[in-house]
Amino acid sequence: MPTFLHMITVVGPPVPPSAEIIKKTLQYGQVEGALLPPALIDVLCQTSPGLDALRQLKFVHYAGAPLSKKTGDQLASHVRIVPCIGSTEAGGYFTKIHDHRDAWDYISFQDYAGAVFEKRLDDLYELVFTRRPGDSPQQIFKLYPDIDRFETKDLWTEHPVHKGLWKIIGRTDDYVYLSHADGLHASLLEPEIEAHPRVRSALIGGYGRPAPVLIVELFSTEKGETQEELISSLQPYIEKVNARVHDCVRLSTERVIVAAEKKPFIRTIKGSVARMQTLALYEDEIAALFS
């Protein structure tokens, strides 16, 4: 990027990054734009100095995991937000930067990328790369020279107004199969719960169970607040989820697990939640709901 775009790279000190270190790097490095993991952006936006530091930039790129809606909405009117996305197999995807700030978490692909969206269920599409003569570079076909299409298993949805803009919402293996053969796409619904100001992350599980289970991890606990009061405050957000699903897969405040401070969600090196490992961590609590 510095070579092709005539940029100067500002690298922080050789210590684990924290919100304070990132804030000072932006300030003293005279930074105009930053590429950060969403977890650090979330933390910065929780304090006025951190939020102001990001809003002073021309652009904020994020990569490795989705950026929460509440964080993005805090920044979108002040700074251009640009999602960067890729995969281990295909490298960084060749995407465009658009001007629709109300669609900050959507992207579009360069024409030569060979990106095709194939319908899978309702308004969900899987990203598939297809080999096209003359399209270059298509990294995936350097890795797999003997194939002409590569199914990424990533599920996307198209913007309802700005056609041609797409947002990744999960993977084909994020589907929660219940014991009665119905199910739901967890990653499509979890952001509704994460809109709660106290919720850091939400997971919907219950594989093979008769009903889905909601597990929430909090930013912090309120002194004197009971777990019943917290779960009651989730009710409006749960209702938003239930308005989008069939009756037989509805969430319920009776099937909510609040993550214990001693058992935080397991996260990848990118800061995103490791879904299967975290659900396994709470398997005993899930089983207890149905015992």
Side-chain angles (χ1 to χ4, degrees):
M1 289 177 68
T3 300
F4 288 101
L5 301 179
H6 307 291
M7 298 169 63
I8 298 173
T9 300
V10 177
V11 181
V15 296
S18 65
E20 184 64 21
I21 287 175
I22 295 298
K23 182 172 67 68
K24 289 183 177 179
T25 302
L26 299 181
Q27 177 183 355
Y28 297 115
Q30 301 178 22
V31 173
E32 294 183 336
L35 169 60
L36 298 168
L40 273 178
I41 300 175
D42 285 337
V43 173
L44 281 164
C45 287
Q46 290 178 35
T47 66
S48 294
L51 182 61
D52 290 340
L54 291 175
R55 285 177 170 178
Q56 297 302 315
L57 301 177
K58 292 183 178 179
F59 59 85
V60 173
H61 290 259
Y62 66 91
L67 183 65
S68 69
K69 185 178 186 303
K70 54 192 172 190
T71 294
D73 289 345
Q74 285 181 292
L75 297 172
S77 60
H78 297 80
V79 58
R80 185 189 296 274
I81 305 175
V82 184
C84 301
I85 189 166
S87 66
T88 303
E89 301 92 343
Y93 294 166
F94 292 101
T95 60
K96 304 175 184 178
I97 295 178
H98 61 79
D99 294 322
H100 301 290
R101 295 207 176 194
D102 59 329
W104 57 264
D105 49 350
Y106 287 76
I107 64 173
S108 62
F109 283 80
Q110 298 284 355
D111 295 336
Y112 56 77
V116 176
F117 291 92
E118 297 184 355
K119 190 167 186 177
R120 292 293 179 257
L121 180 68
D122 298 330
D123 62 345
L124 300 180
Y125 294 75
E126 181 179 356
L127 172 62
V128 178
F129 287 109
T130 59
R131 186 192 295 273
R132 294 177 179 174
D135 282 357
S136 179
Q138 288 184 286
Q139 309 101 301
I140 190 65
F141 301 116
K142 300 292 185 181
L143 181 63
Y144 299 119
D146 298 328
I147 65 174
D148 292 322
R149 58 181 275 123
F150 178 77
E151 299 178 355
T152 64
K153 297 185 178 180
D154 290 329
L155 291 174
W156 299 66
T157 184
E158 190 174 22
H159 195 280
V161 177
H162 308 303
K163 299 302 179 182
L165 296 186
W166 296 86
K167 178 171 69 172
I168 186 170
I169 56 89
R171 290 179 53 80
T172 54
D173 51 13
D174 286 345
Y175 191 82
V176 179
Y177 291 93
L178 301 175
S179 59
H180 46 68
D182 208 337
L184 69 170
H185 278 284
S187 56
L188 187 63
L189 303 169
E190 288 157 352
E192 296 283 11
I193 306 297
E194 291 169 350
H196 189 293
R198 300 273 310 288
V199 174
R200 180 185 183 190
S201 299
L203 279 182
I204 297 175
Y207 297 89
R209 304 288 181 179
V213 172
L214 173 63
I215 311 175
V216 295
E217 182 183 42
L218 306 179
F219 282 112
S220 61
T221 57
E222 293 287 340
K223 186 176 181 180
E225 181 183 46
T226 66
Q227 185 158 302
E228 289 76 14
E229 290 172 335
L230 170 65
I231 293 176
S232 178
S233 73
L234 292 171
Q235 181 65 46
Y237 302 87
I238 290 175
E239 289 176 356
K240 288 184 178 180
V241 170
N242 289 340
R244 300 172 56 183
V245 300
H246 300 299
D247 289 345
C248 58
V249 295
R250 289 165 62 91
L251 299 180
S252 170
T253 53
E254 296 180 357
R255 297 189 304 276
V256 175
I257 297 169
V258 179
E261 292 186 10
K262 295 181 180 180
K263 292 176 64 175
F265 281 10
I266 299 172
R267 298 184 177 270
T268 68
I269 194 171
K270 299 176 182 179
S272 58
V273 176
R275 175 178 297 275
M276 294 305 176
Q277 293 94 320
T278 301
L279 290 174
L281 181 67
Y282 280 89
E283 181 55 35
D284 290 343
E285 289 85 347
I286 293 173
L289 292 175
F290 299 97
S291 62

